[in-house]
Amino acid sequence: MSDLTARPWRPSRPQKIIAVLVLIIVWTAIADTWADKGCTLPQGYRFVITHGGSPDRDQGCEDEPSGPEYTDRYYG
């Protein structure tokens, strides 16, 4: 029998780094759509995860004395 056995494909280290960088860039771009709706960028990062992506037309943040707060009745 030969020592050549089929190995499953595994990404190399540079491929993993590039994939993570692309993921961070996409996450930032989607978080920025929340920032366009009045939210801070850190809130945008959180909302991308908790709301599953970019905001709907009626989602955003309203100015409150304590800072921007999420609302599902955004008219901005």
Side-chain angles (χ1 to χ4, degrees):
M1 234 189 244
S2 102
D3 290 335
L4 299 175
T5 58
R7 291 185 188 174
W9 178 81
R10 293 179 57 177
S12 66
R13 184 174 179 176
Q15 290 171 328
K16 290 177 186 176
I17 292 170
I18 290 170
V20 167
L21 289 175
V22 168
L23 182 65
I24 290 170
I25 290 169
V26 169
W27 188 22
T28 301
I30 297 171
D32 194 47
T33 61
W34 283 96
D36 292 343
K37 295 275 199 130
C39 304
T40 64
L41 192 57
Q43 285 175 320
Y45 284 119
R46 187 178 71 219
F47 293 151
V48 168
I49 294 171
T50 59
H51 292 279
S54 60
D56 292 335
R57 197 170 31 161
D58 58 345
Q59 292 177 321
C61 291
E62 293 180 339
D63 286 330
E64 297 291 331
S66 62
E69 293 291 325
Y70 171 78
T71 182
D72 58 359
R73 294 181 183 157
Y74 179 78
Y75 298 107

